[in-house]
Amino acid sequence: MLDFSSLDRYIPKFLEGLKVTIGLSIATVILATVLGFIIYFMKASKSGIGKFRPISAFAVVFIELMRGTPLLLQILLVFSGGKMLLGIDISAFQSAVIAITLNASAFIAEIVRAGIEAVDKGQMEAARSLGMSRSLAMRLVIMPQAIKNILPAIGNEFVNIIKASSMASVIGVGELTLAAKIVQGATYLALEPLIISAVFYLILTFSLGRLMSWIERRFKSSDTR
């Protein structure tokens, strides 16, 4: 039988973990989105000598590394490797932000690529025929259409980032999952603290999902005007 009666006094601990989770998620979402677009444009870069394009090759290798290795391992590598390899003392929170940002940016770069490729190639040709440069056509014609294509997938990735923040608990970041573990140790309750933590995660992801749905509807309504 579940018993939540003794957990009232631990609500501040969960709220503290919620605050850390929100801060970690917001920082990661912003940085991963910016870096994801940068990685995409690096991958699409034509700069190079002959067929060798170092910028594009670097982006391809980066994406494959981030997608091909576990996020948990990446968090541990950043946390342990920052001091050992680079001589930089990185806090647990900073390590989590860096690792999750790098991981999510690879997926966002591929989402951006798919969204841009979904735009009819005739759009670029039409813009070029009107005298626009390639960069101007990309900014004014292609990207606005691509953003509408990628919003649903970007929204899903944002939800994944919130859930991925739970892995930061392994290096001592005091987010919701670690808060649940601390309460487990203090109360000897195995399941109830995890359920409370899950409810907070559900509130966060549900709220973000509704926000992204509202933004999508706003974009669609602008098309009908």
Side-chain angles (χ1 to χ4, degrees), residues 71-87:
L71 175 58
L72 180 58
L73 178 60
Q74 293 167 14
I75 292 174
L76 293 172
L77 284 172
V78 172
F79 183 61
S80 302
K83 182 67 175 178
M84 294 177 61
L85 300 179
L86 303 177

Side-chain angles (χ1 to χ4, degrees), residues 46-59:
K46 306 290 185 183
S47 300
I49 303 173
K51 293 184 178 181
F52 178 61
R53 301 171 181 172
I55 296 177
S56 178
F58 173 83

Side-chain angles (χ1 to χ4, degrees), residues 31 41 47 61 76 95 97 99 102 104 108 114 125 188 199 214:
L31 294 173
F41 286 113
S47 300
V61 171
L76 293 172
S95 299
V97 170
L102 293 175
I108 291 176
E125 296 172 1
Y188 300 102
V199 169
W214 178 79

